[in-house]
Amino acid sequence: MIRTGLSALLLLGTWAAAGLAPAAAAPSPASEAPASTGLLTAMQKDLGLTESQAQARLAAEKTATAVESKAKRAAGASYGGSWFNPDSGTLTVTVTSAQKADAVRATGATVQLVKHSARQLDAAKERIDALSAPAGVSSWHVDPKANRVVVNVVAAQKSDNDVRDFLDRARQAGPVTVKETAQAPQTFAAGTVGGDPYYTGNVRCSIGFSVHGGFVTAGHCGQAGASVSGWDGSYIGNFQGSSFPDNDYAWVNVGSGWWTAPVVLGWGSVSDQLVRGSNEAPIGASICRSGSTTHWRCGNLLAKNETVNYSQGAVHQMTKTSVCAEGGDSGGSFISGDQAQGVTSGGWGNCSGGGETWYQPINEILGRYGLTLHTA
């Protein structure tokens, strides 16, 4: 019987004895870990790729992730943003200075000249973050392709006076482009139902990633001190830290006979995925999610550092994806290849009709609480 969440694997103390759990275990280089058949199958299903196309894309994304960090250093203050192009398999990096183009190109990136640097756009976004957004404004983020801050507005409320007033003030903060979205975002917590990974009060959410001493998940799933029980109703631990809104992250200590493992569940549709690190994937990369309601789903990484305007308040520094999710998936794992990316926060739509989902980046959570990711 397949258990619905990483908590099922946490019970298997023999995994630690088998060598998956010890912190001292030397992680294998990602380049030596071939993509599992299940991951390739999921990418074929959700992204419309052939097996060879999925393999080629994963290889190109791994290269682009390495190139991106080198290109940022080469561009310096001239850096304007970057994204992965799945059609060409290349990373595009924008710069504001033509003098930096050759140095950036030498890293293996394609180069474009733009007007605004990433620092200028981030500063404009921070000024917009300081504004109070009405419900009709769903989110905003820096778009490196547009070289502007994109503000997403719910189509049915675009003529609302409060929305129009917000947009006027946003345009004063810097270069802004307005786009329409179908629905407002919401978190993906759910009421208690049987057979799912963890509960706090009457809320059911999904485990994100194992850390030494516990696991990380979404902050809206529980407040600090709240008791957490697993899929079988037994006590796991308590929320040791939680932040929502403003952020959407939390961590829970694991004890009482429960174990941690550096694994993301594949739910039987794909092989369980080992977690080997947390290198950040570029915009445009493929990404997959594991959650207790809709299980394993894949899509594309659409935007970074987006502010999401939930009804409970704005949450900052989120990453937007085309992956679908539903109630109960909150807190679950976002992973790119074998690299942890973040925990599911919320979104709009569902896995029948499609939608978008945001996650809180994992490295921010680890840094905030001084946690160490459990890796294989």
Side-chain angles (χ1 to χ4, degrees), residues 285-305:
S286 63
I287 194 165
C288 297
R289 179 191 59 72
S290 181
S292 61
T293 300
T294 57
H295 299 173
W296 186 268
R297 304 283 176 160
C298 296
N300 296 306
L301 199 156
L302 302 178
K304 296 183 180 182
N305 192 23

Side-chain angles (χ1 to χ4, degrees), residues 48-109:
L49 304 174
T50 65
E51 181 177 353
S52 61
Q53 288 173 333
Q55 290 174 327
R57 179 160 177 176
L58 287 172
E61 289 173 355
K62 186 175 295 183
T63 299
T65 298
V67 168
E68 186 174 43
S69 60
K70 297 177 183 178
K72 285 182 179 180
R73 291 193 295 270
S78 175
Y79 178 71
S82 55
W83 64 90
F84 175 77
N85 185 328
D87 294 327
S88 64
T90 59
L91 183 79
T92 298
V93 175
T94 62
V95 294
T96 59
S97 171
Q99 296 176 343
K100 293 288 187 178
D102 287 342
V104 174
R105 196 173 289 113
T107 67

Side-chain angles (χ1 to χ4, degrees), residues 178-335:
V178 179
K179 293 186 177 181
E180 295 182 11
T181 186
Q183 300 177 37
Q186 60 183 357
T187 56
F188 286 127
T192 299
V193 294
D196 290 292
Y198 87 85
Y199 311 95
T200 177
N202 65 343
V203 172
R204 182 254 298 176
C205 282
S206 302
I207 290 171
F209 293 95
S210 287
V211 296
H212 293 295
F215 64 82
V216 294
T217 186
H220 70 263
C221 291
Q223 297 181 346
S227 178
V228 173
S229 58
W231 59 268
D232 61 349
S234 67
Y235 172 75
I236 297 177
N238 295 79
F239 279 84
Q240 298 299 302
S242 180
S243 178
F244 180 78
D246 187 28
N247 306 294
D248 194 6
Y249 49 60
W251 82 281
V252 175
N253 70 310
V254 167
S256 302
W258 289 71
W259 296 74
T260 61
V263 171
V264 172
L265 279 182
W267 297 97
S269 58
V270 303
S271 300
D272 294 344
Q273 303 294 301
L274 291 176
V275 178
R276 300 184 184 276
S278 59
N279 293 328
E280 187 178 334
I283 292 172
S286 63
I287 194 165
C288 297
R289 179 191 59 72
S290 181
S292 61
T293 300
T294 57
H295 299 173
W296 186 268
R297 304 283 176 160
C298 296
N300 296 306
L301 199 156
L302 302 178
K304 296 183 180 182
N305 192 23
E306 182 154 16
T307 299
V308 180
N309 190 37
Y310 293 130
S311 61
Q312 300 94 330
V315 176
H316 305 94
Q317 297 178 313
M318 301 271 270
T319 299
K320 179 164 66 176
T321 77
S322 64
V323 187
C324 68
E326 297 179 9
D329 286 327
S330 278
S333 323
F334 265 93
I335 189 167

